[in-house]
Amino acid sequence: MIEPDEIKKLDSGFSLILIIWGAIFASLGVYLGVSLFIADTLTAAVGDKFPLVTLRYALFGISAATLVAVHFLRGFMLGHPGAVKNSRSMPSAQHPAVARYSVIVIVTSALLESIGIYGLVLFLLAKDALSFYQLLGVAAVAMLVYRPKKEELLALARRMDTMG
């Protein structure tokens, strides 16, 4: 059972996690804004001999692999909180589960954001707007699917308390 003072620590920590996730998610909007701003003046940076189709397939493949990796990595990290000391034995302003969940959110969000970056690379190299929008959309949807959830943080805190 999580004590009321620990619930307050978890609530304040979760608010910070949401701000971090929101900032990473907003970076996808920045990529979109930049691409819309420079779309008219941008010229393709690669020549006809550049293997653009191969690059496109490679980046879409890496994106698919990233989605699979995030799914399993996130599940593993949530299921194995690691060795922690009991939060009751060491008074702290932050619950240990907040630190662990912050790492999980930052790592998975950064991996998912990279999918949008792959699209931006295709856009900047070859002015491939369709691939950019597809990869940006995949990144945004995945970030929404894997957004921070308070229930996950509370479950992680309970698991860490029973281990501690």
Side-chain angles (χ1 to χ4, degrees):
M1 177 84 187
I2 301 174
E3 295 180 12
D5 62 323
E6 290 181 341
I7 294 288
K8 288 179 186 176
K9 290 178 184 180
L10 290 169
D11 286 340
S12 67
F14 187 72
S15 298
L16 180 61
I17 290 169
L18 284 177
I19 291 169
I20 293 168
W21 175 83
I24 295 171
F25 187 78
S27 68
L28 296 176
V30 171
Y31 303 153
L32 180 62
V34 167
S35 70
L36 292 173
F37 183 72
I38 66 170
D40 294 336
T41 60
L42 184 68
T43 58
V46 295
D48 293 338
K49 296 195 186 251
F50 187 80
L52 183 62
V53 173
T54 304
L55 178 63
R56 185 179 297 121
Y57 282 131
L59 291 178
F60 271 88
I62 292 169
S63 297
T66 300
L67 288 172
V68 172
V70 163
H71 178 75
F72 288 109
L73 178 66
R74 194 173 202 290
F76 177 80
M77 291 176 78
L78 284 170
H80 298 85
V84 294
K85 295 182 180 177
N86 192 339
S87 62
R88 292 182 194 105
S89 65
M90 293 177 42
S92 172
Q94 185 181 40
H95 193 283
V98 171
R100 179 66 177 185
Y101 196 64
S102 296
V103 169
I104 293 168
V105 168
I106 290 168
V107 167
T108 57
S109 296
L111 286 170
L112 294 171
E113 181 188 13
S114 70
I115 295 171
I117 293 172
Y118 303 151
L120 186 62
V121 166
L122 285 172
F123 180 75
L124 294 175
L125 285 178
K127 203 172 178 178
D128 187 357
L130 179 61
S131 294
F132 170 60
Y133 294 137
Q134 289 171 338
L135 290 172
L136 193 69
V138 167
V141 168
M143 283 188 71
L144 289 172
V145 168
Y146 293 110
R147 71 190 177 282
K149 297 174 183 85
K150 192 162 189 181
E151 302 82 36
E152 288 178 339
L153 176 61
L154 294 174
L156 183 63
R158 281 191 287 275
R159 233 180 353 271
M160 290 176 89
D161 282 347
T162 59
M163 291 178 70

